[in-house]
Amino acid sequence: MRTRELPTLHPERQLWRRGVTAVAGVDEAGVGPLAGPVVAAAVIFEPEVSIAGVDDSKRLTAKRRETLFAEIGRRALAIGIGQAEPAEIDQIDILRATFAACRRAIGALSMRPDHVLVDGRPIPDLGIGQSALVGGDRKSFCIAAASVVAKVTRDRLMQHYDRLFPVYGFASHKGYGTRAHLEALASFGPCTIHRQSFAPVRDAARARERR
């Protein structure tokens, strides 16, 4: 059986060797769901700091993410959170909203990074040097740490929304288009945190109007 490779400090070390010390890893959570915000996180560590077990958040259990979230909070030099709400996603589209959330996360850091490592595509209009790594949350420790922070933060928000809108089951599916979620949409229509521009939500709203 192939051993799963964990993110390493290799991308960060390339920068540290060039004298770039404040390296921020950036990642997001919540691009695909039908409801709730997209949340981004930016994390800066001192050079050579690493936390055992930090990985792409999708490869970790919820319990493990919570444990690592606390450890990242204790050991990071700075953590920034940014988000874009459903109304903004509907207005400017999910890709632009995701970039906006990433810029807000970086702006929320208590120190300005010298360089940003970002998962996936480069962030437009950033004004800071950056490196975009495809699959970065599986290659870079700092990006993986950011993915954990973003995921835990968003999951907690969706648990809060579950208490406000209990008929949709947000605590279990976190806004993704599961069968149970789609059935709730068909029965009750969208609520205020649904992304009205997403086809399943739009279709459910139109179906309710025809009744």
Side-chain angles (χ1 to χ4, degrees), residues 9-21 23 47-48:
L9 288 170
H10 180 66
E12 290 86 337
R13 285 194 177 111
Q14 290 182 318
L15 293 164
W16 295 332
R17 287 167 185 161
R18 287 162 38 197
V20 181
T21 55
V23 178
E48 300 301 332

Side-chain angles (χ1 to χ4, degrees), residues 134-197:
V134 176
D137 47 9
R138 300 188 181 197
K139 297 175 181 177
S140 158
F141 165 72
C142 290
I143 295 177
S147 79
V148 171
V149 173
K151 174 64 173 168
V152 171
T153 301
R154 188 180 187 280
D155 283 357
R156 290 177 178 179
L157 283 171
M158 296 310 294
Q159 289 163 1
H160 167 70
Y161 287 130
D162 183 71
R163 294 190 289 273
L164 297 179
F165 308 102
V167 298
Y168 298 99
F170 290 135
S172 61
H173 55 64
K174 308 302 187 294
Y176 284 89
T178 64
R179 179 177 178 179
H181 189 187
L182 294 175
E183 289 175 349
L185 267 174
S187 297
F188 303 105
C191 71
T192 56
I193 70 160
H194 277 102
R195 301 173 182 179
Q196 306 295 325
S197 58

